[in-house]
Amino acid sequence: MKAIIAFTTLCAFASTFVSALPAKRNDVIDDTVVLNFALTLEHLEDAFYREGLAKYDERHLPTQASQPKPMGALGIKPPSHVYTTYPKTFVALSQVLEGVGVSAYIGAARFISNKDFLVAGASILATEARHASWIASTVNHFAGWSGDFDVPLGLNEVFSLASPFIKSCPTTNPQLPVKAFPTLTATPVSGKLVPGATITLTFDRSIVKPEQELWVVFLTGLSHVFAKIEGGKVMIPAELRGTVYAVISTSGETTGDGNTIAGAICVVFNGLPPPFPPYVVTRLAVYLLHDGLDSYSRYVLVGLVN
């Protein structure tokens, strides 16, 4: 059993966070906030595939004229991004990004009050899940699904995963009521990062007292598995499978924004990716961009907010 640890290893080279945000901030999470947040993620995915794949085969990419126009004063315009261009890393990160997109839509559903918006979001979620499954199985030779349930992520957990890949945002964008938790990295003491392995955790400990007890919360499906940190290390529970997220918490019983102090990170257990020649990446571009799936999701979100 192998692991892709895209966000724990790639964040090292993409350490810039959102640097240009407007002064006004709406702390109420309403339908508009959720839709703008979802649109930000769609912009992120679109830029990831467009910029990452442009060097491989530009003939298969849609023209700029075919892309959705930025939204008005209430909408989110595309931020600038930082990405890797190595094919092997690119396809590993694409699997994680698609999985985060799925978990983001699931987690945000609780905040939607307009049933029409909820139905549209569910429709986009289904497409995101198909993307994630196709990339995991056909491209990366992983299992096409993670388990009985996918993980619902909160807005701050999603933003913490996405923010290292956002260099800056237009100052005209409305500021969303989200924050990024401090960075967390996990390194195996020896061997591979697999269930049952002991890992060393690196994060900013200055925000808690030295004697503060801390736990790693592993988010798997609809369950939370707690493991107490001893000497900066913890053993990954042996029963974990599929896509798992982890945060550092001050509580060994509950999890939430109030007791999360670092994370989230994403680890995918299961499978061994093969070598990735350029034609595989081109195939990915044709499937996700030329067919306009992510672009169409952004069209839908633009229409809902406007």
Side-chain angles (χ1 to χ4, degrees):
M1 183 178 292
K2 305 295 181 180
I4 289 181
I5 318 111
F7 278 102
T8 60
T9 57
L10 297 182
C11 284
F13 79 84
S15 58
T16 52
F17 285 77
V18 176
S19 58
L21 292 173
K24 281 191 174 183
R25 170 175 168 144
N26 177 17
D27 289 326
V28 177
I29 301 178
D30 55 19
D31 287 2
T32 300
V33 167
V34 173
L35 293 174
N36 275 327
F37 187 72
L39 182 59
T40 299
L41 297 180
E42 296 295 343
H43 280 316
L44 182 68
E45 288 188 12
D46 175 74
F48 169 73
Y49 290 116
R50 185 171 304 281
E51 296 172 16
L53 294 168
K55 64 182 296 183
Y56 298 108
D57 195 340
E58 295 181 349
R59 295 172 300 169
H60 294 286
L61 303 182
T63 63
Q64 186 65 31
S66 69
Q67 296 308 298
K69 296 180 180 179
M71 297 164 61
L74 295 178
I76 293 291
K77 296 180 181 179
S80 54
H81 306 83
V82 178
Y83 292 123
T84 176
T85 57
Y86 296 103
K88 193 171 183 178
T89 305
F90 177 86
V91 293
L93 183 54
S94 70
Q95 180 175 339
V96 178
L97 279 177
E98 294 291 346
V100 170
V102 170
S103 291
Y105 274 95
I106 298 172
R110 72 188 66 183
F111 298 112
I112 295 292
S113 58
N114 185 305
K115 294 187 183 300
D116 291 335
F117 293 175
L118 187 62
V119 170
S123 180
I124 296 173
L125 167 61
T127 299
E128 291 285 348
R130 292 174 190 270
H131 288 182
S133 179
W134 185 83
I135 292 171
S137 59
T138 303
V139 179
N140 284 343
H141 291 197
F142 275 58
W145 59 91
S146 183
D148 295 336
F149 300 97
D150 276 298
V151 178
L153 290 176
L155 270 61
N156 288 336
E157 291 166 336
V158 173
F159 187 65
S160 298
L161 289 163
S163 61
F165 303 94
I166 303 176
K167 184 177 181 181
S168 62
C169 286
T171 56
T172 55
N173 278 1
Q175 186 175 2
L176 300 176
V178 294
K179 66 177 181 180
F181 295 118
T183 302
L184 168 66
T185 60
T187 307
V189 173
S190 62
K192 304 289 185 178
L193 198 152
V194 296
T198 298
I199 55 176
T200 299
L201 303 162
T202 304
F203 57 95
D204 183 7
R205 293 179 173 272
S206 65
I207 59 179
V208 295
K209 297 179 181 180
E211 66 274 13
Q212 174 73 58
E213 293 185 329
L214 299 174
W215 285 261
V216 177
V217 186
F218 295 95
L219 312 178
T220 173
L222 299 179
S223 301
H224 296 163
V225 180
F226 295 83
K228 189 174 181 180
I229 300 174
E230 302 283 359
K233 298 179 176 61
V234 73
M235 179 179 291
I236 301 174
E239 68 271 19
L240 295 183
R241 296 291 184 275
T243 300
V244 177
Y245 299 92
V247 298
I248 303 296
S249 175
T250 56
S251 172
E253 297 179 352
T254 61
T255 183
D257 293 346
N259 49 38
T260 297
I261 65 168
I265 59 173
C266 176
V267 184
V268 183
F269 300 117
N270 182 21
L272 177 63
F276 300 100
Y279 77 84
V280 172
V281 181
T282 300
R283 203 172 158 199
L284 188 64
V286 174
Y287 186 81
L288 292 178
L289 286 179
H290 190 259
D291 290 351
L293 297 178
D294 279 316
S295 296
Y296 184 72
S297 296
R298 290 185 293 127
Y299 273 118
V300 171
L301 290 168
V302 168
L304 289 177
V305 175
N306 286 345

